[in-house]
């Protein structure tokens, strides 16, 4: 349906690196979420979110193997659990793994509190997010108008570019992403089928040996190219 009304945030980057992402942090993101997005979201919305660091601030983060021994011990005690003083880190971490809860993120809890749901994109799959395609259109339209590179005009040009993007353009990009998702799904089925052709099953019947030539144990060789063959063997 287009951009969420009244949820736009434009700010001047103070970063010396030239990357505006350095200016967007947990505090700024949560402030925008609470003051700009939540008041304008339709009821029971589904929010697609990537895995940027400020999107994934955990409220119940458990220790990892890189945590100190003290951190692991303190976490175990905070959960009302016990450990032996003689336990090494690997043993303490087994307790952590057994009792840690699914990760909960600050942003998700804020949205869920208002009746919304969050779905997260697979890591490194920006192509599943229609807004990335919209950003590309937006940047091109800004570049065309920003000929003189005048800082005083950039906000006006950016706002005009935002308002020029229609609901139809959004629908087009959403359909394009759906095609990509369908392509991944069907390719996944084909990959599963091909992987099955290369499985070597261990622990068969005692009568099965590596020297068996019975057709029930060794399939015909399927040439894939001059050097590669697909074979399924029971040992």
């Amino acid at each position: 349906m287009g951009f969420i009304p009244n949820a736009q945030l434009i700010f001047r980057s103070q970063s010396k690196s030239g990357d505006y992402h350095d200016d967007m942090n947990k505090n700024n993101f949560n402030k925008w979420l609470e003051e700009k997005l939540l008041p304008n979201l339709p009821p029971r919305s589904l929010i697609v979110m990537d895995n940027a660091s400020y999107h994934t601030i955990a409220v119940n983060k458990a220790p990892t193997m890189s945590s100190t021994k003290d951190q692991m011990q303190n976490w175990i005690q905070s959960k009302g659990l016990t450990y032996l003083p003689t336990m090494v880190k690997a043993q303490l971490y087994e307790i952590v793994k057994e009792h840690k809860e699914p990760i909960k993120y600050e942003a998700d809890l804020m949205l869920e509190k208002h009746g919304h749901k969050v779905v997260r994109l697979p890591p490194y799959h920006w192509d599943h997010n229609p807004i990335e395609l919209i950003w590309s259109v937006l940047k091109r339209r800004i570049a065309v108008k920003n000929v003189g590179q005048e800082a005083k005009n950039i906000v006006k040009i950016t706002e005009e570019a935002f308002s020029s993007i229609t609901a139809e353009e959004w629908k087009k990009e959403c359909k394009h992403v759906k095609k990509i998702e369908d392509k991944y799904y069907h390719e996944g089925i084909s990959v599963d089928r091909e992987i099955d052709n290369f499985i070597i099953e261990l622990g068969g019947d005692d009568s099965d040996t590596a020297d068996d030539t019975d057709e029930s144990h060794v399939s015909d060789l399927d040439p894939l190219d001059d050097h590669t063959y697909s074979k399924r063997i029971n040992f």
Side-chain angles (χ1 to χ4, degrees):
M1 301 188 303
F3 285 108
I4 303 296
N6 305 313
Q8 187 181 101
L9 172 64
I10 298 177
F11 62 89
R12 184 183 296 274
S13 175
Q14 303 297 322
S15 171
K16 294 181 179 179
S17 69
D19 186 353
Y20 70 89
H21 287 96
D22 292 343
D23 291 303
M24 182 55 76
N25 52 38
K26 162 195 162 181
N27 294 333
N28 290 336
F29 176 71
N30 286 350
K31 188 172 187 291
W32 169 79
L33 199 64
E34 190 170 17
E35 297 179 5
K36 289 276 193 176
L37 185 63
L38 278 170
N40 297 293
L41 268 180
R44 300 177 64 188
S45 290
L46 182 67
I47 291 84
V48 178
M49 202 176 297
D50 64 22
N51 297 283
S53 59
Y54 44 85
H55 295 165
T56 53
I57 304 298
V59 297
N60 62 337
K61 188 175 180 180
T64 65
M65 266 306 289
S66 61
S67 301
T68 65
K69 193 172 182 179
D70 283 344
Q71 289 172 329
M72 291 184 183
Q73 291 171 337
N74 291 336
W75 186 90
I76 291 170
Q77 288 178 328
S78 73
K79 298 295 180 182
L81 305 171
T82 59
Y83 60 89
L84 296 175
T86 55
M87 283 183 170
V88 296
K89 279 183 64 174
Q91 292 172 310
L92 293 170
Y93 187 56
E94 287 301 316
I95 298 176
V96 172
K97 285 196 298 182
E98 183 179 352
H99 294 280
K100 70 179 182 179
E101 303 168 341
I103 295 178
K104 297 177 182 177
Y105 300 112
E106 282 187 11
D108 297 36
L109 294 178
M110 289 175 64
L111 289 159
E112 289 170 5
K113 182 180 176 182
H114 290 80
H116 308 297
K117 295 283 186 182
V118 175
V119 60
R120 293 187 174 274
L121 296 171
Y124 311 112
H125 275 288
W126 64 268
D127 52 347
H128 286 283
N129 197 345
I131 202 170
E132 297 294 347
L133 302 172
I134 292 294
W135 288 142
S136 179
V137 174
L138 187 74
K139 289 175 181 178
R140 285 199 300 271
R141 292 183 185 177
I142 292 172
V144 168
K145 295 286 186 70
N146 192 31
V147 178
Q149 298 286 313
E150 297 179 23
K152 63 181 181 180
N153 292 329
I154 191 64
V155 172
K156 181 173 179 282
I157 293 171
T158 302
E159 288 174 340
E160 289 174 350
F162 268 106
S163 63
S164 72
I165 294 177
T166 65
E168 288 304 315
E169 287 178 288
W170 267 102
K171 289 177 184 177
K172 173 188 171 184
E173 303 302 1
C174 288
K175 287 180 181 178
H176 179 72
V177 167
K178 188 176 184 303
K179 288 179 181 178
I180 293 174
E181 290 174 343
D182 290 341
K183 181 173 179 286
Y184 275 124
Y185 176 76
H186 291 297
E187 285 180 350
I189 293 174
S190 300
V191 169
D192 287 346
R193 190 181 301 119
E194 291 302 315
I195 288 176
D196 281 347
N197 291 331
F198 289 90
I199 291 178
I200 297 177
E201 296 181 353
L202 303 178
D205 294 339
D206 293 341
S207 59
D208 295 345
T209 67
D211 294 330
D212 285 341
T213 56
D214 189 287
E215 288 183 357
S216 64
H217 298 136
V218 181
S219 68
D220 293 336
L221 296 178
D222 299 323
L224 301 179
D225 55 40
D226 292 341
H227 306 289
T228 310
Y229 293 89
S230 167
K231 185 164 66 171
R232 186 183 183 93
I233 304 175
N234 288 341
F235 287 95

